[in-house]
Amino acid sequence: MNTFAEIVDAIKAYDTIIIHRHQRPDPDAIGSQVGLRDIIRENFPTKTVLATGQDEPTLAWLAQMDEVSDDDYANALVIVTDTANRPRVDDERYHTGQFLIKIDHHPNDDPYGDLMHVDTSASSASEIITDLALSTHLTVPTSAARLLYCGIVGDTGRFLYPATSSKTFQMAAKLRSYDFDFAQLSRQMDSFPLKIAKLQGYVLEHLEVDDSGAARVLLTQDVLKEFNVTEAETSAIVSLPGKIDTVQSWGVFVEQADGHYRVRLRSKTQVINGIAKRHDGGGHPLASGANSYSLEENESIFQEIKDLLQATKD
């Protein structure tokens, strides 16, 4: 794993820096990406520093992407944050720069880049970026503190998930000392439209819970249309089954427009990313994503969850 000093040296060496993150971004993806952009801009004001990717309407309140041309990649340093594997990088031009850095906290199943800093003990990519800035004595502007704090809160589930460490709290406490509207940010992260509340009702009504502690729910295209929600907006209900005391591991199966299923897998204690890897996916031990290409594969994934939980009881 490359050091923070090596990353900062690379930043110093390039006049143009373009920062990417993963597709279908969450607060940590945008927080780490745009937070790093703002830190570099603050400390190296003569450099051109850009953040690229598709704007996510549900997170427009957090940050907007920059306009990035093909010409910007000539002789550029490219940094990818919070993205475990290359197919998930938003904006495929990431490989057209002169030098590439990967900064991530997922299992490093797909090593890429000329430099890599992958720390699976970190709660989030935003925690890593915060640590990078503080460890190398870079100035963190208030705009970046807000973004990074949001990323940490988002990926720790408000400090509920096991990856939350004492260091996570230290980084969050440092960011909280900056003068941004903490209460407004917290309200924004904790609120959702009425249609999502109604979708939550549907999920609880249709959730299948097995005696083993496995649970699942299927959201078809018809259901998405009925509640007028996008696939991205369904991320708001992924943690909901885990609030039920008897549920230990679960899958949310979301039908895509092309007919395949995006599967979000979550677990309280049992490692489920092995299941995700067997089904065209991957991710954290307790929070992963997979892809299913038929109802039969959906059944197979759910059976694997049940078998995993049953094995721990035997």
Side-chain angles (χ1 to χ4, degrees):
M1 182 168 66
N2 295 104
T3 66
F4 289 148
E6 290 175 295
I7 293 172
V8 173
D9 284 343
I11 290 170
K12 291 177 178 177
Y14 286 86
D15 294 327
T16 300
I17 301 164
I18 303 171
I19 307 174
H20 293 241
R21 39 79 180 158
H22 63 72
Q23 301 165 356
R24 302 187 184 97
D26 56 12
D28 185 37
I30 292 179
S32 60
Q33 176 196 29
V34 186
L36 178 59
R37 181 201 68 182
D38 288 2
I39 289 170
I40 299 174
R41 284 180 175 178
E42 177 74 16
N43 291 271
F44 305 98
T46 62
K47 297 182 184 294
T48 298
V49 191
L50 304 168
T52 185
Q54 293 291 319
D55 279 309
E56 171 49 55
T58 63
L59 294 174
W61 56 272
L62 186 56
Q64 297 286 312
M65 297 296 102
D66 300 308
E67 291 290 334
V68 182
S69 71
D70 292 348
D71 292 339
D72 289 324
Y73 285 87
N75 302 314
L77 167 64
V78 177
I79 303 174
V80 181
T81 69
D82 197 36
T83 311
N85 51 67
R86 282 167 280 192
R88 289 204 70 206
V89 180
D90 195 345
D91 192 336
E92 61 185 17
R93 296 177 296 174
Y94 76 93
H95 60 81
T96 63
Q98 187 174 92
F99 199 85
L100 178 64
I101 298 175
K102 175 185 183 181
I103 301 176
D104 191 31
H105 68 121
H106 299 90
N108 196 22
D109 295 329
D110 181 11
Y112 62 87
D114 300 292
L115 293 179
M116 285 185 293
H117 186 93
V118 179
D119 183 0
T120 57
S121 70
S123 68
S124 55
S126 293
E127 179 182 320
I128 295 173
I129 299 301
T130 304
D131 193 15
L132 183 157
L134 298 179
S135 297
T136 58
H137 307 291
L138 295 176
T139 299
V140 178
T142 299
S143 62
R146 169 182 172 269
L147 288 159
L148 294 168
Y149 183 85
C150 185
I152 291 174
V153 170
D155 250 31
T156 61
R158 293 170 177 77
F159 308 107
L160 289 175
Y161 301 154
T164 304
S165 66
S166 59
K167 185 174 183 177
T168 305
F169 284 113
Q170 291 168 5
M171 297 294 104
K174 179 64 177 178
L175 297 169
R176 178 64 184 89
S177 70
Y178 286 79
D179 187 23
F180 59 87
D181 192 337
F182 166 77
Q184 190 277 335
L185 178 64
S186 297
R187 288 194 300 271
Q188 186 74 55
M189 295 188 72
D190 199 42
S191 64
F192 44 77
L194 179 60
K195 64 182 181 180
I196 298 299
K198 292 180 178 179
L199 181 63
Q200 288 184 338
Y202 177 90
V203 169
L204 293 174
E205 180 71 21
H206 292 82
L207 187 70
E208 178 184 346
V209 182
D210 184 75
D211 290 341
S212 66
R216 67 172 170 181
V217 67
L218 173 63
L219 301 179
T220 65
Q221 282 286 300
D222 287 342
V223 170
L224 299 185
K225 291 174 183 176
E226 177 184 350
F227 290 93
N228 190 31
V229 297
T230 65
E231 193 276 337
E233 289 174 319
T234 63
S235 63
I237 57 87
V238 174
S239 63
L240 183 61
K243 297 182 183 296
I244 300 172
D245 58 0
T246 58
V247 172
Q248 298 302 314
S249 301
W250 64 98
V252 177
F253 297 77
V254 184
E255 186 181 17
Q256 306 296 293
D258 65 1
H260 91 279
Y261 300 87
R262 187 180 180 205
V263 188
R264 296 184 175 98
L265 299 173
R266 298 293 185 269
S267 183
K268 292 177 179 176
T269 58
Q270 298 303 312
V271 174
I272 42 78
N273 61 354
I275 297 174
K277 290 176 184 178
R278 290 193 290 273
H279 296 275
D280 191 23
H284 297 292
L286 304 182
S288 299
N291 289 283
S292 168
Y293 299 94
S294 66
L295 290 173
E296 290 75 19
E297 188 171 4
N298 288 354
E299 291 294 332
S300 176
I301 292 172
F302 189 50
Q303 186 62 50
E304 289 179 53
I305 298 173
K306 291 190 289 185
D307 291 344
L308 174 66
L309 294 175
Q310 188 60 51
T312 64
K313 294 181 178 182
D314 294 339

